[in-house]
Amino acid sequence: MTGKKIATVELGTGGPQVGVQGLGCMGMSFAYGPTDADEARATLERALELGVTLYDTADVYGMGENEKFIAPFLQAHRDEVVVATKFALSIDPADPTKRAIRNDRPYIRECVEASLRRLGVDEIDLYYMHRRDVHVPIEETVGAMAELVAEGKVKHLGLSEVTASELRAAQAVHPIAALQSEWSLFSRDVEESVVPAAAELGVGLVPYSPLGRGFLTGSFVNADKELTSDDFRRQQPRFTGDNASANAALLEPVRKMAQAHDATLGQIALAWVQQQATALGLAVVPIPGTRKRTRVEENAGATRIRLTDQDLAVLEPIASQVAGARYADMTFTSAGRE
């Protein structure tokens, strides 16, 4: 794939116009072990050449370091890119398994100002509530976020890992452009009620981890044995022990399909997610994360693969056979509250 750019789509009713595939930037400086910073910067540039215009980060990724990392790129291409960042979630540096969530107005204001400074921009294109604090009414949280829009600090609002009822309550306060949640061949719980609600309300879906945190590419089989000690995938039940072995076996039909399409496993997984836009009637812009130019080229190529009805039928039962939850603690997810 060289010069041809990917197609574009409006992300939610009245939302930003973006490439049909975005880029998750977290791994460039956080969570997935050592990285080559120069290659990661080159990956940002190559993604833009391919038509990828939605760049996703969060204040919690490296405690602000990920926002700082992508800032020079954003500033150099401010009129060409849509930057998405998030508030609400913090991690204890001494124990990454410990998380705290805040959705209150003072905290939101503190977070947006800090993100604006780190990113070096005057306005955040898409600002997400990263996780839901059930002790704060979502109407109050979205009301505080709406104030940021009125003040010109934020253009569009997004939510992450909310239930269908929470999404409806939020939409009643202010238009929500995008809902971000995990969605892949391995993780399909959002399809039960969240996706239909988003389609009805005109909210775009931004699937994170559409490649199952790399597992669907076949790049590793067992996190405990193959990944570095600082890689957070070692904390996730699906990628360790007997679960890992069982789930690796589920990739066999994906592998055969990839051969038939002259594609990679990852491209088949991404093509499946992309085609949910047509199947379920809403904008779908997955944000596969990578820090390599070759991988972003491969991922962008998936937007041109069309799976047949027979292909989709073969892939359909995979999610129901996956061993292990997507997080050790599912209370942070929409599925944990549905």
Side-chain angles (χ1 to χ4, degrees):
M1 185 168 187
T2 53
K4 192 175 181 182
K5 292 190 175 185
I6 63 176
T8 62
V9 68
E10 183 181 61
L11 184 57
T13 303
Q17 193 78 15
V18 297
V20 294
Q21 186 181 108
L23 179 63
C25 299
M26 180 181 76
M28 292 182 174
S29 58
F30 176 70
Y32 288 152
T35 187
D36 181 334
D38 290 338
E39 177 62 19
R41 293 187 187 96
T43 299
L44 293 169
E45 297 285 351
R46 182 60 179 138
L48 184 57
E49 291 174 355
L50 294 168
V52 174
T53 56
L54 177 63
Y55 292 77
D56 184 272
T57 183
D59 60 1
V60 71
Y61 300 160
M63 292 178 289
E65 290 304 311
N66 196 248
E67 289 179 323
K68 292 179 183 178
F69 180 82
I70 69 171
F73 168 77
L74 297 176
Q75 293 159 26
H77 302 285
R78 192 65 194 98
D79 295 335
E80 302 170 81
V81 304
V82 172
V83 60
T85 193
K86 316 176 191 75
F87 73 90
L89 182 62
S90 62
I91 295 176
D92 183 347
D95 184 358
T97 64
K98 292 183 179 178
R99 300 181 174 190
I101 300 175
R102 286 182 62 182
N103 288 174
D104 57 281
R105 178 178 274 101
Y107 184 72
I108 293 170
R109 289 196 161 273
E110 176 187 330
C111 288
V112 75
E113 296 295 345
S115 287
L116 286 166
R117 285 194 302 270
R118 287 189 291 261
L119 292 167
V121 298
D122 297 323
E123 189 175 37
I124 294 167
D125 298 310
L126 178 57
Y127 200 43
Y128 285 103
M129 181 190 78
H130 203 165
R131 289 292 186 272
R132 172 91 167 93
D133 179 355
V134 296
H135 302 294
V136 179
I138 196 162
E139 295 87 349
E140 180 180 321
T141 299
V142 177
M145 296 170 71
E147 293 171 5
L148 304 180
V149 176
E151 294 166 13
K153 298 178 187 295
V154 170
K155 286 184 182 177
H156 303 284
L157 301 185
L159 303 172
S160 180
E161 290 286 1
V162 296
T163 66
S165 61
E166 290 165 349
L167 178 60
R168 293 181 191 282
Q171 182 79 356
V173 176
H174 188 279
I176 303 299
L179 170 60
Q180 187 172 136
S181 190
E182 185 167 357
W183 195 9
S184 73
L185 282 173
F186 269 27
S187 300
R188 298 182 58 181
D189 50 79
V190 294
E191 294 175 32
E192 184 172 347
S193 61
V194 175
V195 169
E200 176 191 333
L201 297 170
V203 177
L205 255 292
V206 179
Y208 72 82
S209 299
L211 293 172
R213 305 191 189 280
F215 195 85
L216 287 168
T217 69
S219 60
F220 73 97
V221 174
N222 189 302
D224 281 338
K225 298 177 181 178
E226 299 175 60
L227 304 181
T228 58
S229 60
D230 57 349
D231 193 308
F232 91 117
R233 288 172 290 185
R234 290 169 60 117
Q235 303 168 21
Q236 295 184 297
R238 290 183 173 174
F239 307 139
T240 59
D242 292 340
N243 286 347
S245 301
N247 292 335
L250 297 178
L251 296 180
E252 191 54 35
V254 184
R255 187 171 285 106
K256 290 180 180 178
M257 196 172 297
Q259 292 172 350
H261 283 271
D262 192 23
T264 65
L265 275 74
Q267 286 179 320
I268 297 300
L270 282 173
W272 180 88
V273 173
Q274 302 272 183
Q275 285 186 223
Q276 299 312 301
T278 302
L280 300 174
L282 74 170
V284 177
V285 181
I287 48 170
T290 186
R291 44 201 179 180
K292 295 181 179 179
R293 282 169 287 182
T294 54
R295 187 69 77 179
V296 83
E297 290 168 355
E298 175 187 326
N299 292 346
T303 66
R304 297 185 175 88
I305 295 174
R306 289 294 173 266
L307 302 177
T308 66
D309 290 344
Q310 184 177 357
D311 290 334
L312 296 173
V314 170
L315 299 173
E316 181 65 24
I318 290 177
S320 64
Q321 301 173 59
V322 172
R326 52 190 176 100
Y327 288 103
D329 182 358
M330 286 290 286
T331 60
F332 292 97
T333 70
S334 60
R337 297 192 305 280
E338 288 282 12

